[in-house]
């Protein structure tokens, strides 16, 4: 529309973006929105946007967001500097509004998100604000789904998709501005993209970068993206920081006098003490997992029932505080949507809300009305030990940054209080920040992507935080064992190139690559899709429902071969229902899932993943099943499917030793209680797809029984007779 991009003058300290009130008078917006207007649940298994101003017109909603008053500041800084580090609290509007501001001045914008759900929901929201449907001006591209066209000017995508776009366009010439969002999560892909974008920024001086974060070391990011140390530089910094931290109320922090032996029980005790002795206000308690939340929930609900019944006959607690009812709500990623949304709804009058949450309530969402925060001092982190060779999820102490962020949840609407269930001495011992995922995870998938991009010397790659050398070595060894790279470290033609293009972990990609040779492409598509999702079976808690669910699973799906073949049975049964020509297919699928105690939402996700993988394998790579002579049914076909699984998972084999399983590198492993092999006679040899920590044990999940000879047959280069 305009031939020239508008120039922005430097805003003064008092110059805010003007709006007109209903009388037509220009007024200044002084950020009345202390707490968050927009909260995005970006957990991988959730997909919703909570907006407390949904009753207002779209334009009015946009003006209510704290980021609105900073529009000119952002555009001015981005005109003067190549990289802008944007620090703002969750819910201030930076994820939805900043891309629109950039588009309004002529940029073609790419916005990355760590999770699929966040990319899709944000794109849907921004498209709604523009009065369109996703795929026109605003679109999205996630690992297995997309809605965009050649004219799409704002594209929300997962980090993996942007990495794959670099295969076709190494300098990303199709974009003029790239927004890296949620950088504080420091996922593997975030760090890789930061390193690659720094390289691209040196080549493309007109490319603008916005690095957006809720809680991150801003100076570290600014220094990393500062290119002024390059040859021929004038010395002027190319990167700048802008903070949009909202106004918060004072927060009183209380520490435990001595360490608590059981933080779940201590959390329950503190909730009850706050309820009976402190003024009215909602409570947010942080715990590490769904299991801990459900344990605390059961105890607190029993107390709440008694408390609410007694309140019919009293007006005050013994402490003198006015008596109030109690409502206890859980908040974790796999919770159904209708229960997640209850956390954000206003409680009835004189009802105190207690939210028991995992660390997704730390940065990913903002719950209005919280006055009291209880911090247990722990959270769950994935950790990969190269010496053991497995990645497990461990409960570990939080960092000082985490503790500060958790306490900050209490000061959004009024003066708040934070109760830390650890001593002040222990707080001082906490690390400043959590090590990024790059330093504590399996690097084989990331290394495969870098190799595909032509970066052969991965040891010299510019990582924001360099990973341990032995983790790099372990990842390269895994890729070499899977025959994805050769002795020189280059991608192998055929298998390596296909594996790099599949949006899967290298071991799962290897299974799919070999499926044609074993004559079981359809079966491996189902198995691989099911391994990408979690929570296939609905948990019923305790009682008759739990017994009925276990009986249904045992009678309909469980097999002696293990969980992986059980998942194949689940997907096969679901596909039979899904492929019927009935006009009521969706209803039939839901009814079947309800009868079989299977999670319909998870199965739909697995079905979509399977469809996407099938297009790649059969249409793009033209893979076909090898023909085998004789009858191709029953045991013979099942053994081929199992051997194909082993051809990808052979590095994750374990044998039964004295009292426990042993991994090939010596890790002590146990069968997960969720496995169908848990109550069966323990097989001598198994392969597993993942490991989860349960207390002091590492439990194998997604198991399959194997024969020892298969390892020698399928991977003679990895195993030898001893």
């Amino acid at each position: 529309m305009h031939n020239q991009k508008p120039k922005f003058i430097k805003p003064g300290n008092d110059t805010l973006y003007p709006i007109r009130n209903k009388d037509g008078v220009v007024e200044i917006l002084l950020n009345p929105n202390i707490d968050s207007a927009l909260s995005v649940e970006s957990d991988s298994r959730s997909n919703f946007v909570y907006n407390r101003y949904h009753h207002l017109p779209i334009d009015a909603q946009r003006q209510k967001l704290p980021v609105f008053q900073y529009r000119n500041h952002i555009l001015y800084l981005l005109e003067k500097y190549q990289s802008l580090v944007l620090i703002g609290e969750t819910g201030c509007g930076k994820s939805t509004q900043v891309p629109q501001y950039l588009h309004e001045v002529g940029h073609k914008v790419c916005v990355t998100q760590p999770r699929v759900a966040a990319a899709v929901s944000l794109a849907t929201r921004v498209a709604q604000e523009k009065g369109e449907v996703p795929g026109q001006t605003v679109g999205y591209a996630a690992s297995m789904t997309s809605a965009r066209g050649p004219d799409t000017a704002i594209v929300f995508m997962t980090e993996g998709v942007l990495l794959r776009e670099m295969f076709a366009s190494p300098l990303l010439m199709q974009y003029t501005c790239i927004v890296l969002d949620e950088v504080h999560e420091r996922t593997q892909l975030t760090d890789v993209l930061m390193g690659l974008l720094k390289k691209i920024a040196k080549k493309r001086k007109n490319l603008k970068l916005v690095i957006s974060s809720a809680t991150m070391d801003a100076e570290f990011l600014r220094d990393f993206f500062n290119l002024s140390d390059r040859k021929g530089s004038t010395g002027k910094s190319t990167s700048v920081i802008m903070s949009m931290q909202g106004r918060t109320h004072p927060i009183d922090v209380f520490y435990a006098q001595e360490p608590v032996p059981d933080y779940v029980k201590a959390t329950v005790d503190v909730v009850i003490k706050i309820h009976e002795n402190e003024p009215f206000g909602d409570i947010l308690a942080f715990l590490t997992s769904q299991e801990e939340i459900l344990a605390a929930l059961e105890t607190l609900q029993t107390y709440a029932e008694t408390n609410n019944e007694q309140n019919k006959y009293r007006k005050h607690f013994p402490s003198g505080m006015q008596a109030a009812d109690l409502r206890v709500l859980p908040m974790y990623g796999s919770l159904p949507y209708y229960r997640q949304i209850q956390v954000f709804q206003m409680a009835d009058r004189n009802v105190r809300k207690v939210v028991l949450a995992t660390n997704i309530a730390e940065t990913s969402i903002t719950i209005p009305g919280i006055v009291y925060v209880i911090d247990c001092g722990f959270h769950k982190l994935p950790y990969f030990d190269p010496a053991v060779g497995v990645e497990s999820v461990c409960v570990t102490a939080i960092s000082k940054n985490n503790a500060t962020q958790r306490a900050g949840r209490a000061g959004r609407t009024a003066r708040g209080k934070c109760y830390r269930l650890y001593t002040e001495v222990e707080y001082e011992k906490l690390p400043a920040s959590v090590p990024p995922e790059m330093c504590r995870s399996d690097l084989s998938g990331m290394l495969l992507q870098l190799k595909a991009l032509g970066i052969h010397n991965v040891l010299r790659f510019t990582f924001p935080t360099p990973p341990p050398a032995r983790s790099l070595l372990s990842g390269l060894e895994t890729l070499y064992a899977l025959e994805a790279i050769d002795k020189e470290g280059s991608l192998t033609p055929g298998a390596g190139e296909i594996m790099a293009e599949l949006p899967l972990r290298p071991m799962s990609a290897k299974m799919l690559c070999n499926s044609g040779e074993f004559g079981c492409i359809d079966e491996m598509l189902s198995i691989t899709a099911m391994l990408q999702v979690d929570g296939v079976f609905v948990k019923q808690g305790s009682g008759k429902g739990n017994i009925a669910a276990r009986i249904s699973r045992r009678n309909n799906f469980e097999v002696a071969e293990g969980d992986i073949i059980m998942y194949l049975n689940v997907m096969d049964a679901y596909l039979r229902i899904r492929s019927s020509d009935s006009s009521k297919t969706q209803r039939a699928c839901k009814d079947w899932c309800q009868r079989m105690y299977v999670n319909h939402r998870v199965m739909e996700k697995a079905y979509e993943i399977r469809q996407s993988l099938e297009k790649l394998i059969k249409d793009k790579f033209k893979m076909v099943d090898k023909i085998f002579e004789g009858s191709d049914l029953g045991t013979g076909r099942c053994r081929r499917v199992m051997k194909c699984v082993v051809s990808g998972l052979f590095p994750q084999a374990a044998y039964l030793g004295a009292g426990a399983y042993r991994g090939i590198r010596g890790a002590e492993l146990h069968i997960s209680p969720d496995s169908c092999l848990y109550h069966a006679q323990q097989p001598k040899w198994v392969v597993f797809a993942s490991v989860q920590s349960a207390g002091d044990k590492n439990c194998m999940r997604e198991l399959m029984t194997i024969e020892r000879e298969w390892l020698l047959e399928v991977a003679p280069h990895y195993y030898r007779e001893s």
Side-chain angles (χ1 to χ4, degrees):
M1 183 176 176
H2 299 286
N3 293 328
Q4 291 185 333
K5 188 175 77 170
K7 297 284 184 182
F8 286 86
I9 60 170
K10 182 177 181 179
N13 292 332
D14 300 323
T15 307
L16 299 175
Y17 196 70
I19 59 173
R20 295 180 184 274
N21 62 21
K22 61 183 180 181
D23 298 321
V25 179
V26 173
E27 59 182 28
I28 301 301
L29 180 67
L30 291 173
N31 193 8
N33 178 40
I34 299 165
D35 56 339
S36 163
L38 183 69
S39 294
V40 179
E41 162 48 51
S42 55
D43 190 272
S44 57
R45 289 162 292 191
S46 307
N47 181 6
F48 70 88
V49 176
Y50 172 74
N51 179 12
R52 64 190 294 238
Y53 294 121
H54 63 89
H55 60 286
L56 297 176
I58 291 292
D59 286 344
Q61 291 182 38
R62 292 184 66 188
Q63 293 169 9
K64 286 285 186 181
L65 292 168
V67 70
F68 181 71
Q69 62 174 316
Y70 297 105
R71 180 184 187 275
N72 282 7
H73 296 66
I74 292 168
L75 295 172
Y76 170 78
L77 289 174
L78 207 56
E79 187 177 279
K80 294 294 180 184
Y81 296 88
Q82 188 171 5
S83 305
L84 170 63
V85 179
L86 195 60
I87 306 297
E89 291 180 345
T90 303
C92 68
K94 61 185 183 300
S95 298
T96 56
Q97 303 307 304
V98 172
Q100 294 187 68
Y101 300 158
L102 295 169
H103 169 58
E104 287 164 8
V105 296
H107 282 293
K108 188 156 186 182
V109 189
C110 165
V111 188
T112 68
Q113 294 289 330
R115 299 183 179 94
V116 174
V120 175
S121 60
L122 286 171
T124 305
R125 170 66 190 183
V126 175
Q128 180 190 354
E129 290 184 6
K130 287 190 164 294
E132 301 174 355
V133 295
Q136 297 175 358
T137 306
V138 184
Y140 61 83
S143 59
M144 300 291 177
T145 180
S146 68
R148 60 171 169 170
D151 298 327
T152 303
I154 304 174
V155 185
F156 288 83
M157 60 177 64
T158 53
E159 294 162 338
V161 171
L162 182 60
L163 195 62
R164 289 173 198 289
E165 289 203 357
M166 291 183 190
F167 292 168
S169 176
L171 294 179
L172 296 175
M173 299 301 292
Q174 63 271 40
Y175 303 113
T176 60
C177 183
I178 294 175
V179 181
L180 278 181
D181 203 5
E182 307 290 353
V183 173
H184 57 268
E185 297 196 14
R186 289 298 296 276
T187 63
Q188 259 190 41
L189 285 172
T190 302
D191 278 23
V192 171
L193 281 178
M194 285 165 66
L196 291 169
L197 288 173
K198 184 175 181 179
K199 284 179 174 289
I200 294 172
K202 288 179 180 178
K203 299 283 186 182
R204 288 186 60 195
K205 295 179 183 178
N206 62 338
L207 177 68
K208 301 295 184 179
L209 300 178
V210 178
I211 300 90
S212 174
S213 173
T215 57
M216 184 63 193
D217 186 348
E219 287 77 15
F220 167 79
L221 288 172
R222 180 195 61 197
D223 294 343
F224 179 76
F225 282 101
N226 182 14
L227 308 178
S228 62
D229 57 348
R230 65 182 187 268
K231 291 181 181 179
S233 169
T234 59
K236 181 178 178 295
S237 175
T238 64
S239 184
V240 67
I241 299 170
M242 177 175 173
S243 176
M244 295 191 302
Q245 296 288 353
R247 180 163 57 91
T248 58
H249 295 269
I251 300 164
D252 301 319
V253 179
F254 302 92
Y255 293 90
Q257 290 185 338
E258 54 188 41
V260 297
D262 182 350
Y263 60 79
V264 178
K265 183 178 182 302
T267 298
V268 173
D269 293 342
V270 174
V271 167
I272 293 172
K273 285 181 181 177
I274 291 172
H275 181 58
E276 295 184 352
N277 296 281
E278 293 288 344
F280 191 80
D282 293 342
I283 304 170
L284 171 62
F286 287 97
L287 293 170
T288 68
S289 65
Q290 177 181 339
E291 289 73 25
E292 290 179 0
I293 287 173
L294 294 177
L297 182 68
E298 190 173 353
T299 307
L300 282 172
Q301 280 182 331
T302 304
Y303 168 79
E305 289 170 6
T306 306
N307 171 81
N308 297 352
E309 184 64 31
Q310 290 177 349
N311 285 348
K312 295 177 182 177
Y313 311 104
R314 67 182 178 190
K315 290 188 176 181
H316 296 88
F317 289 119
S319 63
M321 282 292 163
Q322 183 177 344
D325 287 352
L326 200 66
R327 187 184 183 199
V328 191
L329 297 168
M331 185 66 194
Y332 49 86
S334 58
L335 200 66
Y337 169 83
Y338 74 93
R339 294 190 64 189
Q340 285 180 346
I341 210 73
Q342 292 174 359
V343 169
F344 301 98
Q345 293 170 347
M346 293 286 289
D348 294 334
R349 184 174 178 178
N350 206 36
V351 176
R352 191 197 297 266
K353 191 167 61 178
V354 178
V355 180
L356 305 174
T358 59
N359 57 349
I360 66 169
E362 192 177 302
T363 56
S364 297
I365 60 173
T366 299
I367 302 168
I370 298 297
V371 176
Y372 306 97
V373 165
I374 303 170
D375 178 8
C376 71
F378 293 92
H379 60 176
K380 273 193 171 182
L381 281 181
Y383 172 71
F384 177 75
D385 187 349
V388 176
V390 295
E391 185 171 287
S392 56
V393 179
C394 308
V395 176
T396 183
I398 61 174
S399 67
K400 287 181 179 176
N401 280 354
N402 296 128
T404 303
Q405 184 67 14
R406 288 180 173 188
R409 304 284 101 181
R412 304 299 292 273
T413 55
R415 188 183 186 96
K417 293 184 178 181
C418 176
Y419 298 84
R420 291 176 174 164
L421 304 182
Y422 44 93
T423 63
E424 191 167 5
V425 174
E426 289 301 316
Y427 170 77
E428 295 300 331
K429 294 179 183 176
L430 293 176
S433 59
V434 172
E437 188 181 348
M438 181 69 70
C439 298
R440 52 181 171 80
S441 60
D442 180 13
L443 303 181
S444 56
M446 178 272 296
L447 292 173
L448 184 62
Q449 298 296 321
L450 289 179
K451 292 286 184 183
L453 285 168
I455 298 170
H456 300 299
N457 191 349
V458 292
L459 295 175
R460 297 289 299 276
F461 182 74
T462 312
F463 291 109
T465 306
R470 61 179 190 158
S471 294
L472 285 170
L473 183 61
S474 174
L476 290 170
E477 286 176 350
T478 300
L479 293 179
Y480 182 61
L482 293 171
E483 298 175 337
I485 58 175
D486 56 23
K487 289 183 179 180
E488 282 72 37
S490 302
L491 275 187
T492 54
E497 293 168 354
I498 292 175
M499 288 170 64
E501 288 207 44
L502 290 171
L504 300 167
R505 290 176 58 214
M507 291 183 192
S508 296
K510 180 65 172 177
M511 290 177 351
L512 265 185
C513 285
N514 291 345
S515 59
E517 181 186 337
F518 286 93
C520 55
I521 291 177
D522 288 331
E523 289 86 348
M524 293 315 303
L525 285 169
S526 296
I527 288 172
T528 308
M530 292 295 280
L531 291 179
Q532 308 312 307
V533 296
D534 200 10
V536 174
F537 294 99
V538 177
K539 291 185 178 180
Q540 295 291 320
S542 57
K544 291 182 180 179
N546 185 43
I547 296 171
R550 286 185 173 276
I551 292 173
S552 171
R553 174 174 147 171
R554 186 187 66 206
N555 292 346
N556 293 294
F557 306 117
E558 288 188 3
V559 287
E561 288 81 5
D563 307 318
I564 290 177
I565 304 301
M566 175 183 72
Y567 286 144
L568 174 60
N569 292 339
V570 175
M571 178 54 87
D572 283 349
Y574 189 77
L575 287 175
R576 284 195 294 272
I577 304 291
R578 197 77 168 62
S579 60
S580 63
D581 294 330
S582 169
S583 59
K584 299 179 181 178
T585 300
Q586 198 67 20
R587 182 72 256 172
C589 288
K590 287 185 179 179
D591 291 343
W592 179 85
C593 288
Q594 194 171 359
R595 286 199 312 275
M596 297 298 175
Y597 297 93
V598 171
N599 191 322
H600 177 256
R601 186 161 61 96
V602 170
M603 289 306 300
E604 274 296 296
K605 181 64 179 173
Y607 175 78
E608 291 171 11
I609 293 173
R610 190 188 186 282
Q611 294 294 97
S612 300
L613 291 174
E614 187 172 14
K615 288 177 184 175
L616 282 172
I617 291 295
K618 294 184 177 179
D619 298 345
K620 184 171 184 179
F621 301 130
K622 308 295 182 186
M623 285 178 57
V624 293
D625 281 329
K626 181 180 175 182
I627 305 297
F628 289 84
E629 295 180 359
S631 62
D632 195 24
L633 299 169
T635 307
R637 188 172 183 84
C638 183
R639 285 173 71 87
R640 287 209 312 276
V641 170
M642 294 171 74
K643 284 184 181 180
C644 187
V645 171
V646 174
S647 73
L649 292 182
F650 65 82
Q652 296 187 166
Y655 62 91
L656 184 61
Y661 282 89
R662 292 280 173 188
I664 58 168
R665 297 184 188 177
E668 183 177 303
L669 301 164
H670 300 266
I671 294 179
S672 169
D674 292 333
S675 170
C676 66
L677 297 177
Y678 185 69
H679 295 291
Q681 180 160 352
Q682 293 184 319
K684 184 67 177 174
W685 285 85
V686 296
V687 291
F688 56 91
S690 64
V691 174
Q692 186 174 30
S693 294
D696 57 346
K697 294 180 179 179
N698 285 331
C699 294
M700 300 177 287
R701 302 174 68 235
E702 291 102 29
L703 289 158
M704 189 183 77
T705 63
I706 62 169
E707 296 176 15
R708 177 172 170 272
E709 292 73 24
W710 292 357
L711 296 172
L712 299 170
E713 178 187 339
V714 171
H717 59 289
Y718 201 77
Y719 293 95
R720 68 171 183 267
E721 194 82 45
S722 63

